[in-house]
Amino acid sequence: MTKTNHHIALPRRLPPFFGAMLVGFWMLSVPATLMTGHAQSAPTTAVAGLLPGERLVPVTPAQRLDKAGNAWQFEEHGAISRVGNSLLNNGMNLNINNRQFYTQQPMANADGEWVLVDQNSVQQGLQIVRRIKLLEDVGVVRYVDVFTNLTSNGLGFQVNYKNNTSNNFQSVMSDQGNSGVTELSARESGVIVTPSSSQSTRAFRYGLSSPKSLVKPAIVYQNRYAFEFQYSLQVPAGGSVALLTAVRQVPVPRGFQRKDLVTLFRPALPDRLLSGLPAALRSLVVNVKTGGTSGPESLLGGIDTAALGVERGRRDVLAISGDTRLVGDALGGGIRIEGEYGAADIPFAQIAAIEGANLGKRDAARVFLRTGEIFSGQVVSDGLQFQMASGGKVDLDLPSLDRLVLAEKEGDGDWSRDGAEALVETHSGDRIALSNASGVTFQGMSPWGKAEFPLSDLVWLAPVEDEPVGYIAELADGTRTFLFLGGGKLATTTKWFGPREIELSAVKSIVTRLALERYQQRKGAVGTTPAPAVPPLDSPQTTYANLTGGQRIVGPVQNETFTVLTQGGKVSVKPEEIRRLVNLVQEDATGGATLAEPNFRIELWGGGVISGPLEETSIAFRKRGLTWNAPIGDVVELVNPQPTVAEGVRQEIARLVRQLGAEEWQVREEATRGLEGYGYLARALLLAELGTSTDPEVRRRIERILERLEE
């Protein structure tokens, strides 16, 4: 059984300078024929799997087509049902411990994504939110199933995705060309199921995990009419995890050459689809290795004694080689450690665990502090004893000590409580809290240009996985970029060793107070602990671009215009006119290779959409006085969260808002139509009026206009 945990959201690994990649990020609209009833906002109490402010409406199952002409039909509980001569009778039918998932009423948001909720009916103490979205451009159905443990104990269960075929299926083959697989190897991410020769001409491709994920399904066959994907999950008390899977209809391959399979599988790769999820959902996904980096989550999650093989609890534990464990109380006056950063005297009350030299089996001892810091070196102590629960007492000699793990206490793991500004982890495994580090400045190179920023602008810094050099850094404004640091030292002050300089080449990871606050906010989203008011990472309030590899640049655009090469000619728009620019991954109807030239859709604040290739080869951003140039093919989407409204337009909108309360019905109607014509440009003034107006007629009209904006 694979154990999973709640992780901090980390970007996927694939910097542009390690390989070219285009990432699709698609938006769908709910057809008017599917929208019935009244919209409901996401509950004010945070529910894992539901997004803050998300407006949901009841939805009635109806057949839909993707851009390749494939028909899709969904049952009320989210399973795929048969259309025509489809291979599948029933697919992706969610079961928990072989009990069927049901929901009373399927709902949908403005993006056309189904949101299904169940609590306790499948398994006591388990809440399930099932999110299903048809990505029409690439013919992929994306499933995000979020599982929340509502109990005070850990919860283990099996997730089954059951599939039944209309006749015998011909074969099941992995994306690496292996047939009849019952589990996915380290290089495999999914399977393709083909029909027999007398059946449909369409095969079904399933994306089940990222290649390097530790959470992969078993594949179980029942004759040749049924198969299922089985995941074993463990969810901690009050925690949430999610599975991201995908299904795609493709023409039955004429052959199974590996390069052909790669083309067929590419759009439905879970790690490729991960970037299209909000961070609140991305951080829960456990079957996609959110790669690229390692380190930050362990620095934020408290005292890291997992490597000691002893679980911390209410009593102290003395571990003596093998499986010998003594339970009782450790007694001592303190210890002295001498290591790379000098010597320090540490009171015993500050210690969470000690890993001794174990009769010379280890080169150095390690001391784990209750703040989450870790120091290695030579350790001495006078009068350290262990009082066993049975009454016996043992004198402890640190050179021969194996492991001593002390009981948990309230406040453990908070390295910031003494005013520390950051926690640094070195490649040797030490963790040191830094104070008085406001003068520290980092310099290096990003994929987009020179980078320079102070420690106060940093959220976290972590190494790029599987690469000998390089980091990924997230900044306070939401910028997230791969980074090569220049040489130098961190000159700072530590509580235990005083002023110190740490070589940057020795640094593995850094987290700051802001990272800790945001981590606590995410924990509060699924628990009962109040969370600090920290701006969510997903919502920068200024212009930003999401880029390949999970990277993001936040900052003003320097391009004067963008020119779209439409079929009718060139159309130029200014950056401030753009609400959202999306890089579309286009494929032909047979599932062929991606077009070499990226295609874009530009949604304008004033209404309207422009589609086609861009004449520009890059987008220039201003970052702390420097210019960053992002190649246009690396841009997933460009977003302006707030419109730029000219003063004359603002005055006209204000005039129309005032006329919503006019005595004449015709004036009120014309004002309503005029405001609807301004679209998002009127949104800010409408919200302001809605917050102050006491006129029921005015409030009703504003609410109607705002609802239409969200459709």
Side-chain angles (χ1 to χ4, degrees):
M1 184 172 290
T2 304
K3 186 173 181 179
T4 57
N5 298 297
H6 184 95
H7 295 291
I8 188 173
L10 296 177
R12 295 178 296 113
R13 172 183 176 270
L14 195 53
F17 44 85
F18 291 152
M21 179 180 77
L22 293 175
V23 177
F25 185 71
W26 306 275
M27 186 181 83
L28 301 174
S29 299
V30 180
T33 55
L34 300 185
M35 308 296 278
T36 60
H38 299 286
Q40 301 176 9
S41 295
T44 54
T45 302
V47 176
L50 300 184
L51 304 177
E54 185 173 40
R55 297 178 65 82
L56 303 175
V57 298
V59 63
T60 301
Q63 183 174 311
R64 299 181 65 179
L65 297 176
D66 61 32
K67 290 293 180 66
N70 298 308
W72 297 92
Q73 179 80 39
F74 302 99
E75 300 178 5
E76 290 187 349
H77 54 279
I80 300 169
S81 58
R82 188 181 186 190
V83 177
N85 64 344
S86 170
L87 167 65
L88 281 185
N89 265 340
N90 185 270
M92 295 302 289
N93 197 335
L94 176 61
N95 285 248
I96 306 298
N97 294 332
N98 285 317
R99 295 187 63 184
Q100 172 73 52
F101 166 85
Y102 283 107
T103 186
Q104 293 183 348
Q105 171 62 63
M107 307 290 285
N109 62 19
D111 252 3
E113 184 175 30
W114 278 29
V115 182
L116 316 177
V117 181
D118 171 81
Q119 182 170 311
N120 289 323
S121 66
V122 178
Q123 177 166 326
Q124 188 66 29
L126 181 65
Q127 174 185 277
I128 303 172
V129 175
R130 181 159 229 213
R131 305 181 68 96
I132 308 164
K133 185 170 183 178
L134 173 60
L135 305 175
E136 294 175 333
D137 288 329
V138 289
V140 171
V141 176
R142 184 188 70 197
Y143 285 88
V144 181
D145 294 310
V146 182
F147 307 95
T148 299
N149 180 0
L150 304 177
T151 74
S152 57
N153 300 304
L155 192 62
F157 52 91
Q158 187 176 80
V159 177
N160 307 76
Y161 294 107
K162 298 193 173 186
N163 302 267
N164 296 288
T165 59
S166 52
N167 287 293
N168 288 347
F169 56 82
Q170 180 72 23
S171 65
V172 177
M173 184 167 292
S174 78
D175 52 347
Q176 293 298 309
N178 299 315
S179 61
V181 292
T182 57
E183 59 182 22
L184 299 178
S185 71
R187 298 181 61 190
E188 294 171 327
S189 65
V191 297
I192 184 170
V193 181
T194 60
S196 63
S197 57
S198 61
Q199 290 182 304
S200 167
T201 59
R202 314 300 284 179
F204 282 78
R205 186 275 188 239
Y206 293 85
L208 303 173
S209 71
S210 63
K212 292 187 177 181
S213 173
L214 298 178
V215 181
K216 291 192 173 186
I219 305 173
V220 179
Y221 305 96
Q222 300 173 16
N223 298 318
R224 300 187 73 83
Y225 285 89
F227 56 95
E228 62 183 73
F229 311 117
Q230 299 178 351
Y231 296 82
S232 293
L233 297 183
Q234 291 280 345
V235 185
S240 301
V241 301
L243 293 175
L244 169 60
T245 53
V247 186
R248 185 186 186 216
Q249 294 186 58
V250 297
V252 176
R254 297 178 181 177
F256 291 97
Q257 297 296 320
R258 185 167 299 178
K259 64 178 182 179
D260 298 325
L261 290 173
V262 168
T263 299
L264 288 174
F265 275 68
R266 185 185 298 118
L269 293 174
D271 48 354
R272 192 182 181 100
L273 298 175
L274 189 69
S275 65
L277 296 181
L281 296 177
R282 259 198 328 265
S283 63
L284 301 178
V285 174
V286 295
N287 63 319
V288 178
K289 189 177 179 67
T290 53
T293 60
S294 61
E297 69 268 31
S298 64
L299 299 185
L300 297 170
I303 301 171
D304 186 14
T305 59
L308 301 184
V310 180
E311 185 175 352
R312 300 182 72 219
R314 298 180 179 179
R315 300 295 299 273
D316 300 342
V317 178
L318 177 63
I320 306 174
S321 67
D323 296 326
T324 301
R325 303 288 187 273
L326 301 179
V327 178
D329 297 294
L331 308 171
I335 67 168
R336 181 175 179 80
I337 183 167
E338 296 183 3
E340 182 178 355
Y341 305 104
D345 294 305
I346 303 174
F348 195 71
Q350 298 288 331
I351 296 173
I354 303 173
E355 183 181 53
N358 197 16
L359 295 174
K361 295 179 182 178
R362 304 186 184 100
D363 294 334
R366 289 198 299 170
V367 179
F368 297 75
L369 273 59
R370 293 194 178 275
T371 57
E373 295 173 274
I374 303 174
F375 306 138
S376 59
Q378 302 305 312
V379 179
V380 295
S381 175
D382 292 327
L384 184 59
Q385 295 181 318
F386 190 82
Q387 178 78 50
M388 291 183 288
S390 59
K393 186 177 291 186
V394 179
D395 291 328
L396 300 180
D397 177 52
L398 287 178
S400 61
L401 176 70
D402 186 0
R403 291 155 290 160
L404 175 64
V405 178
L406 305 181
E408 293 178 313
K409 289 186 178 180
E410 186 176 355
D412 278 358
D414 185 3
W415 48 264
S416 68
R417 64 190 179 196
D418 293 325
E421 299 169 25
L423 183 68
V424 172
E425 181 179 28
T426 68
H427 288 292
S428 63
D430 288 345
R431 295 183 179 181
I432 308 165
L434 307 182
S435 302
N436 299 325
S438 57
V440 173
T441 298
F442 297 92
Q443 294 182 336
M445 288 296 297
S446 78
W448 330 115
K450 183 179 178 181
E452 184 174 332
F453 54 90
L455 180 68
S456 57
D457 272 6
L458 181 67
V459 180
W460 53 260
L461 178 84
V464 177
E465 189 177 86
D466 297 334
E467 297 296 337
V469 294
Y471 296 88
I472 188 162
E474 184 166 288
L475 305 183
D477 65 1
T479 294
R480 188 185 299 130
T481 180
F482 291 95
L483 188 69
F484 288 100
L485 287 179
K489 299 179 179 181
L490 284 175
T492 183
T493 300
T494 69
K495 176 179 179 179
W496 300 106
F497 302 104
R500 284 291 178 270
E501 289 185 340
I502 302 174
E503 295 284 350
L504 278 176
S505 60
V507 172
K508 178 182 178 183
S509 304
I510 302 175
V511 293
T512 65
R513 292 178 68 94
L514 184 54
L516 187 61
E517 290 172 354
R518 289 177 173 173
Y519 174 76
Q520 291 169 345
Q521 181 188 39
R522 284 187 176 128
K523 287 184 66 177
V526 295
T528 57
T529 304
V534 181
L537 294 176
D538 254 16
S539 305
Q541 296 304 301
T542 57
T543 303
Y544 66 91
N546 289 325
L547 302 123
T548 55
Q551 300 179 93
R552 172 186 290 166
I553 300 176
V554 179
V557 173
Q558 301 297 294
N559 300 61
E560 292 186 3
T561 60
F562 290 105
T563 301
V564 187
L565 307 178
T566 71
Q567 292 182 351
K570 296 182 179 181
V571 179
S572 296
V573 294
K574 295 179 179 180
E576 59 269 24
E577 297 179 75
I578 297 173
R579 175 173 171 245
R580 187 164 175 255
L581 178 151
V582 183
N583 187 346
L584 302 174
V585 177
Q586 291 195 347
E587 303 208 355
D588 61 32
T590 61
T594 304
L595 294 177
E597 185 176 31
N599 215 36
F600 292 87
R601 182 178 69 243
I602 296 180
E603 302 163 7
L604 302 175
W605 276 114
V609 174
I610 308 171
S611 296
L614 290 183
E615 191 172 65
E616 288 71 23
T617 59
S618 65
I619 300 180
F621 298 86
R622 198 69 176 163
K623 290 295 296 181
R624 297 187 61 84
L626 302 172
T627 298
W628 284 10
N629 287 291
I632 201 68
D634 291 339
V635 177
V636 177
E637 65 169 350
L638 175 71
V639 178
N640 277 320
Q642 303 293 335
T644 301
V645 183
E647 183 58 30
V649 174
R650 185 183 300 276
Q651 292 179 3
E652 175 62 14
I653 292 173
R655 184 185 70 81
L656 293 173
V657 170
R658 291 192 297 271
Q659 289 184 348
L660 292 176
E663 293 185 3
E664 298 82 3
W665 177 85
Q666 185 63 34
V667 173
R668 297 196 300 271
E669 281 292 295
E670 290 178 358
T672 300
R673 287 193 293 269
L675 289 168
E676 289 176 345
Y678 277 112
Y680 284 96
L681 296 178
R683 189 172 185 271
L685 286 176
L686 288 172
L687 287 172
E689 183 69 16
L690 185 63
T692 59
S693 177
T694 58
D695 187 329
E697 171 78 2
V698 171
R699 294 181 61 85
R700 181 182 66 81
R701 288 179 178 272
I702 290 176
E703 288 173 350
R704 187 178 71 185
I705 295 170
L706 292 174
E707 285 180 3
R708 289 180 178 175
L709 282 179
E710 300 302 326
E711 292 179 358

